[in-house]
Amino acid sequence: MNSAPIRVLLADDQESIRSAFRMILDAQPDIHVIGEAADGTAAVELARHLKPDVVLADIRMPRIDGLELTRLLAGPDAPVPLRVVVVTTFDLDEYVHAALRNGASGFLLKRSGPALLIEAIRAAVAGDTLISPQITVRLLRELTKPTAAPTPEGEEPLTDRELEIVRLLADGGTNAEIAAKLIIAAGTVKNHVASIQRKLRVRNRVGIAAWAWEHGVRRS
């Protein structure tokens, strides 16, 4: 028996964009658009009512912007956190960092194309994350090696092994790739990632990567 399709809510103030996204997504056998909203307030209300698997949200929308929408629906204070993928024309660094801090499960540029859009939705549902390659490369290039490993404020410090996993994860490594690199079991990596999320008080791998980028944590 086939599994139920991924239910997606579109939030964008441009009807032409919503129509294009709907056409792309509804053409996929495993994705179904269940609603549209032209402003952030309507999107939040609709998301809380429909409980979609993924919300695709533009940043610049009337009433509530996409960053605040992400915080309300996916942030640490969200009563029932939803997966939000930010899709925007604007790739300003402050937008990227704010979206990731607010719990976004991905950050895409609209010019990235249909294939990446579809991949981001499937990744979000699978618990993974996808960020436009152009953004990832730029953020990583801007990093500088820290003089000392940072300690999460108010929390127990990350172990040396956890810091190594954070560095590999921030470079885009999957659990399997990290396990192969460190010569440990994939299940062990998964347990470490769960511990890291608890210590950093983040909800997912994007939150870990965002913390790593902001603190200059990367491989030597």
Side-chain angles (χ1 to χ4, degrees), residues 30-59:
D30 60 335
I31 299 176
H32 176 56
V33 175
I34 61 169
E36 299 181 17
D39 66 73
T41 300
V44 170
E45 293 173 353
L46 202 56
R48 288 173 173 169
H49 175 66
L50 296 177
K51 296 179 174 58
D53 298 307
V54 179
V55 178
L56 286 185
D58 189 18
I59 285 184

PDB file of all heavy atoms in Angstrom, residues 30-59:
ATOM      1  N   ASP A  30       3.941  11.900  -4.781  1.00  0.00           N
ATOM      2  CA  ASP A  30       3.998  11.802  -3.325  1.00  0.00           C
ATOM      3  C   ASP A  30       3.822  13.141  -2.618  1.00  0.00           C
ATOM      4  O   ASP A  30       4.081  13.252  -1.418  1.00  0.00           O
ATOM      5  CB  ASP A  30       5.329  11.175  -2.894  1.00  0.00           C
ATOM      6  CG  ASP A  30       6.535  12.003  -3.353  1.00  0.00           C
ATOM      7  OD1 ASP A  30       6.400  12.740  -4.351  1.00  0.00           O
ATOM      8  OD2 ASP A  30       7.596  11.910  -2.711  1.00  0.00           O
ATOM      9  N   ILE A  31       3.381  14.171  -3.350  1.00  0.00           N
ATOM     10  CA  ILE A  31       3.203  15.499  -2.752  1.00  0.00           C
ATOM     11  C   ILE A  31       1.846  16.056  -3.155  1.00  0.00           C
ATOM     12  O   ILE A  31       1.425  15.923  -4.308  1.00  0.00           O
ATOM     13  CB  ILE A  31       4.328  16.469  -3.197  1.00  0.00           C
ATOM     14  CG1 ILE A  31       5.700  15.945  -2.749  1.00  0.00           C
ATOM     15  CG2 ILE A  31       4.095  17.868  -2.617  1.00  0.00           C
ATOM     16  CD1 ILE A  31       6.864  16.806  -3.242  1.00  0.00           C
ATOM     17  N   HIS A  32       1.172  16.696  -2.208  1.00  0.00           N
ATOM     18  CA  HIS A  32      -0.136  17.295  -2.492  1.00  0.00           C
ATOM     19  C   HIS A  32      -0.251  18.629  -1.772  1.00  0.00           C
ATOM     20  O   HIS A  32      -0.037  18.718  -0.561  1.00  0.00           O
ATOM     21  CB  HIS A  32      -1.266  16.366  -2.040  1.00  0.00           C
ATOM     22  CG  HIS A  32      -2.633  16.943  -2.214  1.00  0.00           C
ATOM     23  ND1 HIS A  32      -3.114  17.396  -3.429  1.00  0.00           N
ATOM     24  CD2 HIS A  32      -3.635  17.158  -1.312  1.00  0.00           C
ATOM     25  CE1 HIS A  32      -4.341  17.856  -3.272  1.00  0.00           C
ATOM     26  NE2 HIS A  32      -4.680  17.730  -2.006  1.00  0.00           N
ATOM     27  N   VAL A  33      -0.564  19.702  -2.504  1.00  0.00           N
ATOM     28  CA  VAL A  33      -0.757  21.028  -1.909  1.00  0.00           C
ATOM     29  C   VAL A  33      -2.169  21.085  -1.331  1.00  0.00           C
ATOM     30  O   VAL A  33      -3.155  20.876  -2.039  1.00  0.00           O
ATOM     31  CB  VAL A  33      -0.567  22.143  -2.956  1.00  0.00           C
ATOM     32  CG1 VAL A  33      -0.886  23.500  -2.335  1.00  0.00           C
ATOM     33  CG2 VAL A  33       0.862  22.138  -3.485  1.00  0.00           C
ATOM     34  N   ILE A  34      -2.267  21.352  -0.027  1.00  0.00           N
ATOM     35  CA  ILE A  34      -3.572  21.336   0.635  1.00  0.00           C
ATOM     36  C   ILE A  34      -4.115  22.729   0.930  1.00  0.00           C
ATOM     37  O   ILE A  34      -5.266  22.870   1.362  1.00  0.00           O
ATOM     38  CB  ILE A  34      -3.503  20.546   1.952  1.00  0.00           C
ATOM     39  CG1 ILE A  34      -2.508  21.191   2.920  1.00  0.00           C
ATOM     40  CG2 ILE A  34      -3.154  19.087   1.683  1.00  0.00           C
ATOM     41  CD1 ILE A  34      -2.578  20.612   4.330  1.00  0.00           C
ATOM     42  N   GLY A  35      -3.301  23.764   0.689  1.00  0.00           N
ATOM     43  CA  GLY A  35      -3.791  25.103   0.965  1.00  0.00           C
ATOM     44  C   GLY A  35      -2.816  26.175   0.556  1.00  0.00           C
ATOM     45  O   GLY A  35      -1.633  25.903   0.339  1.00  0.00           O
ATOM     46  N   GLU A  36      -3.324  27.421   0.448  1.00  0.00           N
ATOM     47  CA  GLU A  36      -2.498  28.563   0.091  1.00  0.00           C
ATOM     48  C   GLU A  36      -2.863  29.741   0.983  1.00  0.00           C
ATOM     49  O   GLU A  36      -4.010  29.887   1.410  1.00  0.00           O
ATOM     50  CB  GLU A  36      -2.724  28.967  -1.374  1.00  0.00           C
ATOM     51  CG  GLU A  36      -2.370  27.905  -2.394  1.00  0.00           C
ATOM     52  CD  GLU A  36      -2.605  28.396  -3.825  1.00  0.00           C
ATOM     53  OE1 GLU A  36      -2.718  29.627  -4.014  1.00  0.00           O
ATOM     54  OE2 GLU A  36      -2.676  27.555  -4.731  1.00  0.00           O
ATOM     55  N   ALA A  37      -1.880  30.591   1.226  1.00  0.00           N
ATOM     56  CA  ALA A  37      -2.112  31.808   2.002  1.00  0.00           C
ATOM     57  C   ALA A  37      -1.302  32.936   1.384  1.00  0.00           C
ATOM     58  O   ALA A  37      -0.161  32.740   0.974  1.00  0.00           O
ATOM     59  CB  ALA A  37      -1.713  31.603   3.456  1.00  0.00           C
ATOM     60  N   ALA A  38      -1.908  34.124   1.332  1.00  0.00           N
ATOM     61  CA  ALA A  38      -1.265  35.268   0.698  1.00  0.00           C
ATOM     62  C   ALA A  38      -0.584  36.192   1.696  1.00  0.00           C
ATOM     63  O   ALA A  38       0.043  37.175   1.307  1.00  0.00           O
ATOM     64  CB  ALA A  38      -2.293  36.053  -0.118  1.00  0.00           C
ATOM     65  N   ASP A  39      -0.718  35.920   2.985  1.00  0.00           N
ATOM     66  CA  ASP A  39      -0.010  36.711   3.992  1.00  0.00           C
ATOM     67  C   ASP A  39       0.342  35.813   5.172  1.00  0.00           C
ATOM     68  O   ASP A  39      -0.191  34.711   5.332  1.00  0.00           O
ATOM     69  CB  ASP A  39      -0.841  37.918   4.443  1.00  0.00           C
ATOM     70  CG  ASP A  39      -2.106  37.523   5.190  1.00  0.00           C
ATOM     71  OD1 ASP A  39      -1.998  37.091   6.358  1.00  0.00           O
ATOM     72  OD2 ASP A  39      -3.201  37.643   4.612  1.00  0.00           O
ATOM     73  N   GLY A  40       1.261  36.302   6.008  1.00  0.00           N
ATOM     74  CA  GLY A  40       1.782  35.471   7.080  1.00  0.00           C
ATOM     75  C   GLY A  40       0.769  35.108   8.144  1.00  0.00           C
ATOM     76  O   GLY A  40       0.754  33.983   8.654  1.00  0.00           O
ATOM     77  N   THR A  41      -0.107  36.040   8.495  1.00  0.00           N
ATOM     78  CA  THR A  41      -1.104  35.767   9.531  1.00  0.00           C
ATOM     79  C   THR A  41      -2.054  34.666   9.085  1.00  0.00           C
ATOM     80  O   THR A  41      -2.335  33.722   9.839  1.00  0.00           O
ATOM     81  CB  THR A  41      -1.899  37.039   9.867  1.00  0.00           C
ATOM     82  OG1 THR A  41      -0.994  38.039  10.350  1.00  0.00           O
ATOM     83  CG2 THR A  41      -2.945  36.759  10.927  1.00  0.00           C
ATOM     84  N   ALA A  42      -2.526  34.768   7.842  1.00  0.00           N
ATOM     85  CA  ALA A  42      -3.420  33.735   7.307  1.00  0.00           C
ATOM     86  C   ALA A  42      -2.703  32.386   7.233  1.00  0.00           C
ATOM     87  O   ALA A  42      -3.304  31.338   7.495  1.00  0.00           O
ATOM     88  CB  ALA A  42      -3.925  34.146   5.923  1.00  0.00           C
ATOM     89  N   ALA A  43      -1.420  32.427   6.893  1.00  0.00           N
ATOM     90  CA  ALA A  43      -0.640  31.184   6.789  1.00  0.00           C
ATOM     91  C   ALA A  43      -0.522  30.493   8.143  1.00  0.00           C
ATOM     92  O   ALA A  43      -0.662  29.271   8.237  1.00  0.00           O
ATOM     93  CB  ALA A  43       0.739  31.479   6.215  1.00  0.00           C
ATOM     94  N   VAL A  44      -0.257  31.263   9.196  1.00  0.00           N
ATOM     95  CA  VAL A  44      -0.138  30.683  10.534  1.00  0.00           C
ATOM     96  C   VAL A  44      -1.460  30.057  10.959  1.00  0.00           C
ATOM     97  O   VAL A  44      -1.504  28.929  11.473  1.00  0.00           O
ATOM     98  CB  VAL A  44       0.308  31.755  11.554  1.00  0.00           C
ATOM     99  CG1 VAL A  44       0.188  31.221  12.981  1.00  0.00           C
ATOM    100  CG2 VAL A  44       1.743  32.178  11.276  1.00  0.00           C
ATOM    101  N   GLU A  45      -2.555  30.780  10.749  1.00  0.00           N
ATOM    102  CA  GLU A  45      -3.879  30.270  11.131  1.00  0.00           C
ATOM    103  C   GLU A  45      -4.216  29.010  10.352  1.00  0.00           C
ATOM    104  O   GLU A  45      -4.721  28.024  10.917  1.00  0.00           O
ATOM    105  CB  GLU A  45      -4.935  31.356  10.900  1.00  0.00           C
ATOM    106  CG  GLU A  45      -4.776  32.558  11.820  1.00  0.00           C
ATOM    107  CD  GLU A  45      -5.719  33.697  11.459  1.00  0.00           C
ATOM    108  OE1 GLU A  45      -6.405  33.597  10.414  1.00  0.00           O
ATOM    109  OE2 GLU A  45      -5.760  34.694  12.214  1.00  0.00           O
ATOM    110  N   LEU A  46      -3.931  29.030   9.045  1.00  0.00           N
ATOM    111  CA  LEU A  46      -4.242  27.876   8.207  1.00  0.00           C
ATOM    112  C   LEU A  46      -3.374  26.679   8.582  1.00  0.00           C
ATOM    113  O   LEU A  46      -3.846  25.541   8.615  1.00  0.00           O
ATOM    114  CB  LEU A  46      -4.043  28.248   6.729  1.00  0.00           C
ATOM    115  CG  LEU A  46      -4.764  27.411   5.680  1.00  0.00           C
ATOM    116  CD1 LEU A  46      -6.264  27.385   5.935  1.00  0.00           C
ATOM    117  CD2 LEU A  46      -4.487  27.962   4.285  1.00  0.00           C
ATOM    118  N   ALA A  47      -2.108  26.941   8.868  1.00  0.00           N
ATOM    119  CA  ALA A  47      -1.196  25.854   9.241  1.00  0.00           C
ATOM    120  C   ALA A  47      -1.637  25.191  10.541  1.00  0.00           C
ATOM    121  O   ALA A  47      -1.599  23.960  10.668  1.00  0.00           O
ATOM    122  CB  ALA A  47       0.224  26.390   9.373  1.00  0.00           C
ATOM    123  N   ARG A  48      -2.050  25.987  11.499  1.00  0.00           N
ATOM    124  CA  ARG A  48      -2.488  25.426  12.775  1.00  0.00           C
ATOM    125  C   ARG A  48      -3.786  24.642  12.633  1.00  0.00           C
ATOM    126  O   ARG A  48      -4.046  23.709  13.395  1.00  0.00           O
ATOM    127  CB  ARG A  48      -2.635  26.547  13.805  1.00  0.00           C
ATOM    128  CG  ARG A  48      -1.288  27.089  14.271  1.00  0.00           C
ATOM    129  CD  ARG A  48      -1.421  28.305  15.170  1.00  0.00           C
ATOM    130  NE  ARG A  48      -0.121  28.682  15.729  1.00  0.00           N
ATOM    131  CZ  ARG A  48       0.099  29.828  16.370  1.00  0.00           C
ATOM    132  NH1 ARG A  48      -0.895  30.710  16.523  1.00  0.00           N
ATOM    133  NH2 ARG A  48       1.303  30.092  16.852  1.00  0.00           N
ATOM    134  N   HIS A  49      -4.587  25.007  11.648  1.00  0.00           N
ATOM    135  CA  HIS A  49      -5.849  24.300  11.407  1.00  0.00           C
ATOM    136  C   HIS A  49      -5.642  23.030  10.595  1.00  0.00           C
ATOM    137  O   HIS A  49      -6.157  21.950  10.942  1.00  0.00           O
ATOM    138  CB  HIS A  49      -6.834  25.223  10.687  1.00  0.00           C
ATOM    139  CG  HIS A  49      -8.110  24.546  10.281  1.00  0.00           C
ATOM    140  ND1 HIS A  49      -9.030  24.075  11.199  1.00  0.00           N
ATOM    141  CD2 HIS A  49      -8.611  24.238   9.049  1.00  0.00           C
ATOM    142  CE1 HIS A  49     -10.043  23.513  10.558  1.00  0.00           C
ATOM    143  NE2 HIS A  49      -9.808  23.598   9.262  1.00  0.00           N
ATOM    144  N   LEU A  50      -4.859  23.132   9.506  1.00  0.00           N
ATOM    145  CA  LEU A  50      -4.684  22.003   8.592  1.00  0.00           C
ATOM    146  C   LEU A  50      -3.579  21.046   9.013  1.00  0.00           C
ATOM    147  O   LEU A  50      -3.570  19.887   8.605  1.00  0.00           O
ATOM    148  CB  LEU A  50      -4.394  22.522   7.177  1.00  0.00           C
ATOM    149  CG  LEU A  50      -5.494  23.336   6.499  1.00  0.00           C
ATOM    150  CD1 LEU A  50      -5.019  23.833   5.134  1.00  0.00           C
ATOM    151  CD2 LEU A  50      -6.765  22.513   6.351  1.00  0.00           C
ATOM    152  N   LYS A  51      -2.609  21.557   9.798  1.00  0.00           N
ATOM    153  CA  LYS A  51      -1.456  20.753  10.239  1.00  0.00           C
ATOM    154  C   LYS A  51      -0.761  20.043   9.062  1.00  0.00           C
ATOM    155  O   LYS A  51      -0.691  18.814   9.005  1.00  0.00           O
ATOM    156  CB  LYS A  51      -1.880  19.729  11.294  1.00  0.00           C
ATOM    157  CG  LYS A  51      -2.378  20.370  12.579  1.00  0.00           C
ATOM    158  CD  LYS A  51      -2.812  19.330  13.594  1.00  0.00           C
ATOM    159  CE  LYS A  51      -3.162  19.982  14.928  1.00  0.00           C
ATOM    160  NZ  LYS A  51      -4.240  20.989  14.807  1.00  0.00           N
ATOM    161  N   PRO A  52      -0.243  20.831   8.118  1.00  0.00           N
ATOM    162  CA  PRO A  52       0.459  20.240   6.964  1.00  0.00           C
ATOM    163  C   PRO A  52       1.761  19.588   7.380  1.00  0.00           C
ATOM    164  O   PRO A  52       2.291  19.857   8.463  1.00  0.00           O
ATOM    165  CB  PRO A  52       0.718  21.453   6.059  1.00  0.00           C
ATOM    166  CG  PRO A  52       0.818  22.601   7.021  1.00  0.00           C
ATOM    167  CD  PRO A  52      -0.192  22.306   8.095  1.00  0.00           C
ATOM    168  N   ASP A  53       2.278  18.725   6.526  1.00  0.00           N
ATOM    169  CA  ASP A  53       3.579  18.108   6.798  1.00  0.00           C
ATOM    170  C   ASP A  53       4.703  19.118   6.617  1.00  0.00           C
ATOM    171  O   ASP A  53       5.706  19.072   7.325  1.00  0.00           O
ATOM    172  CB  ASP A  53       3.798  16.917   5.859  1.00  0.00           C
ATOM    173  CG  ASP A  53       2.756  15.835   6.066  1.00  0.00           C
ATOM    174  OD1 ASP A  53       2.580  15.395   7.217  1.00  0.00           O
ATOM    175  OD2 ASP A  53       2.116  15.449   5.078  1.00  0.00           O
ATOM    176  N   VAL A  54       4.527  20.025   5.645  1.00  0.00           N
ATOM    177  CA  VAL A  54       5.544  21.039   5.352  1.00  0.00           C
ATOM    178  C   VAL A  54       4.853  22.347   4.974  1.00  0.00           C
ATOM    179  O   VAL A  54       3.859  22.334   4.234  1.00  0.00           O
ATOM    180  CB  VAL A  54       6.471  20.608   4.188  1.00  0.00           C
ATOM    181  CG1 VAL A  54       7.497  21.703   3.883  1.00  0.00           C
ATOM    182  CG2 VAL A  54       7.189  19.306   4.513  1.00  0.00           C
ATOM    183  N   VAL A  55       5.390  23.456   5.476  1.00  0.00           N
ATOM    184  CA  VAL A  55       4.940  24.787   5.053  1.00  0.00           C
ATOM    185  C   VAL A  55       6.061  25.410   4.227  1.00  0.00           C
ATOM    186  O   VAL A  55       7.202  25.488   4.690  1.00  0.00           O
ATOM    187  CB  VAL A  55       4.631  25.696   6.261  1.00  0.00           C
ATOM    188  CG1 VAL A  55       4.210  27.093   5.785  1.00  0.00           C
ATOM    189  CG2 VAL A  55       3.556  25.075   7.139  1.00  0.00           C
ATOM    190  N   LEU A  56       5.745  25.827   3.001  1.00  0.00           N
ATOM    191  CA  LEU A  56       6.695  26.582   2.184  1.00  0.00           C
ATOM    192  C   LEU A  56       6.376  28.054   2.373  1.00  0.00           C
ATOM    193  O   LEU A  56       5.271  28.492   2.048  1.00  0.00           O
ATOM    194  CB  LEU A  56       6.555  26.213   0.700  1.00  0.00           C
ATOM    195  CG  LEU A  56       7.102  24.870   0.232  1.00  0.00           C
ATOM    196  CD1 LEU A  56       6.970  24.780  -1.286  1.00  0.00           C
ATOM    197  CD2 LEU A  56       8.551  24.692   0.633  1.00  0.00           C
ATOM    198  N   ALA A  57       7.325  28.824   2.889  1.00  0.00           N
ATOM    199  CA  ALA A  57       7.040  30.206   3.251  1.00  0.00           C
ATOM    200  C   ALA A  57       8.026  31.183   2.637  1.00  0.00           C
ATOM    201  O   ALA A  57       9.244  31.009   2.744  1.00  0.00           O
ATOM    202  CB  ALA A  57       7.042  30.357   4.767  1.00  0.00           C
ATOM    203  N   ASP A  58       7.488  32.221   2.001  1.00  0.00           N
ATOM    204  CA  ASP A  58       8.308  33.329   1.532  1.00  0.00           C
ATOM    205  C   ASP A  58       8.703  34.172   2.744  1.00  0.00           C
ATOM    206  O   ASP A  58       8.079  34.083   3.809  1.00  0.00           O
ATOM    207  CB  ASP A  58       7.503  34.162   0.530  1.00  0.00           C
ATOM    208  CG  ASP A  58       8.355  35.213  -0.170  1.00  0.00           C
ATOM    209  OD1 ASP A  58       9.596  35.086  -0.151  1.00  0.00           O
ATOM    210  OD2 ASP A  58       7.778  36.156  -0.736  1.00  0.00           O
ATOM    211  N   ILE A  59       9.718  34.996   2.615  1.00  0.00           N
ATOM    212  CA  ILE A  59      10.120  35.847   3.736  1.00  0.00           C
ATOM    213  C   ILE A  59       9.308  37.130   3.767  1.00  0.00           C
ATOM    214  O   ILE A  59       8.709  37.479   4.788  1.00  0.00           O
ATOM    215  CB  ILE A  59      11.633  36.173   3.670  1.00  0.00           C
ATOM    216  CG1 ILE A  59      12.448  34.950   4.094  1.00  0.00           C
ATOM    217  CG2 ILE A  59      11.967  37.355   4.580  1.00  0.00           C
ATOM    218  CD1 ILE A  59      13.938  35.190   4.157  1.00  0.00           C
TER     219      ILE A  59
END
